[in-house]
Amino acid sequence: MLQIDQVSSGYGDVRVLHRVSLAVEEGEIVSIVGANGAGKTTLIRTIMGTLGASGGEIRFRGERLTGRPAHAVARLGLAQVMEGRRLFPHMSVEENLMVGGDILRDPARARRNLDWVYGMFPRLRERRRQFARSFSGGEQQMLAIGRALMTGPKLLLLDEPSIGLAPVIVKEIFARIPDINAEGVTILLVEQDVRRSLKISARGYVIEQGRVVLSGTSAELLANDGLKAAYLGQ
Ligand SMILES: Nc1ncnc2c1ncn2[C@@H]1O[C@H](COP(=O)(O)OP(=O)(O)OP(=O)(O)O)[C@@H](O)[C@H]1O
Ligand SMILES: [Mg+2]
């Protein structure tokens, strides 16, 4: 579904990603793990077209993404939940969700997706009139995921959904990811919580200093001595 082939990108003269190659098949949950500053967010930005690639090619269902503007990438069926969530604090939950739905330019479909999102996160329905700024961190993360789902994406890119959240909330959010996947949404999950992330993924890639240094099934990665020493504290 998503093919990333020898992609390089960065900021100005600083190259962050060095010939990264990876693939995500339709229906999978795939993890990308790596330390702070490894280039995970940069990879997501490059996929979504908010950052241009300086080399290589990205394809989604056979269509070339590299060189397309971000809004055109979103229309092909990709959605992202960025680090930091980026909600509109002075808008209600439902208004925040409808901003996601507006991309569709199809009110009837946006309405259906709203029901779908509320079904997945009943807490959002209960609090639909509340301002986003009054939400806890975990609720904000649910809302950020819900907003991304409003476009009915084929591929959802999640950037560190666990960041800054209490363990009990992280558990709740991670429990929803396989449910979202079961609804037909392929997922690329970027996380520093390596164990939790690999547990719900079929496969994963390890990125260090902008390069893919290791890949395999989640079971292989969890049993890898280097990965255990670097990321699992064993
Ligand atoms: N807007 C930017 N301008 C310049 N350099 C940047 C910018 N954003 C990130 N970088 C640099 O690019 C490198 C990779 O950053 P990136 O945010 O992709 O890492 P990450 O793996 O997502 O890290 P984290 O786990 O902390 O989120 C870092 O050295 C970072 O300082
Ligand atoms: Mg990041």
Side-chain angles (χ1 to χ4, degrees):
M1 175 184 239
L2 180 74
Q3 272 93 32
I4 299 178
D5 189 21
Q6 303 271 318
V7 163
S8 299
S9 75
Y11 306 93
D13 292 337
V14 183
R15 184 178 280 200
V16 173
L17 297 181
H18 305 271
R19 296 177 167 273
V20 167
S21 295
L22 60 89
V24 179
E25 302 303 328
E26 188 129 19
E28 282 190 306
I29 302 178
V30 173
S31 283
I32 294 186
V33 300
N36 282 322
K40 305 179 300 295
T41 298
T42 301
L43 177 61
I44 292 198
R45 288 190 188 126
T46 310
I47 296 169
M48 291 303 294
T50 48
L51 187 65
S54 54
E57 194 175 76
I58 304 176
R59 289 185 161 268
F60 178 71
R61 299 178 135 189
E63 305 247 24
R64 209 179 157 168
L65 297 188
T66 17
R68 263 179 223 252
H71 63 87
V73 170
R75 282 221 185 86
L76 288 176
L78 290 88
Q80 61 177 337
V81 179
M82 289 311 288
E83 261 176 319
R85 296 154 207 151
R86 317 254 171 104
L87 299 168
F88 300 104
H90 300 289
M91 283 165 54
S92 71
V93 167
E94 191 149 306
E95 284 164 349
N96 268 279
L97 290 172
M98 289 312 275
V99 168
D102 281 347
I103 293 172
L104 294 171
R105 295 188 187 146
D106 179 346
R109 208 173 136 211
R111 211 60 234 175
R112 280 198 302 278
N113 288 352
L114 185 67
D115 279 339
W116 178 59
V117 167
Y118 280 154
M120 220 136 27
F121 295 105
R123 201 176 321 188
L124 296 182
R125 189 197 297 273
E126 287 160 23
R127 307 196 175 178
R128 64 183 182 277
R129 306 268 166 248
Q130 221 166 298
F131 282 133
R133 64 150 192 260
S134 66
F135 263 30
S136 70
E139 289 164 343
Q140 288 187 22
Q141 187 61 268
M142 288 175 199
L143 179 52
I145 295 171
R147 187 176 59 184
L149 291 175
M150 281 297 294
T151 58
K154 303 272 178 279
L155 176 65
L156 180 67
L157 308 167
L158 291 170
D159 195 354
E160 310 224 25
S162 76
I163 202 121
L165 302 181
V168 56
I169 303 296
V170 173
K171 209 172 156 190
E172 193 177 330
I173 286 175
F174 266 70
R176 305 311 295 166
I177 295 173
D179 296 341
I180 294 166
N181 180 243
E183 296 276 328
V185 183
T186 304
I187 292 174
L188 186 60
L189 174 60
V190 166
E191 259 295 336
Q192 284 190 50
D193 191 335
V194 174
R195 194 191 306 274
R196 204 184 284 278
S197 174
L198 288 174
K199 272 193 177 157
I200 60 164
S201 308
R203 300 187 297 114
Y205 295 86
V206 181
I207 296 190
E208 278 174 13
Q209 292 171 19
R211 292 181 169 84
V212 173
V213 295
L214 189 65
S215 65
T217 65
S218 296
E220 285 164 357
L221 293 178
L222 286 166
N224 181 282
D225 287 336
L227 186 129
K228 281 202 256 185
Y231 301 102
L232 301 177
Q234 292 175 5

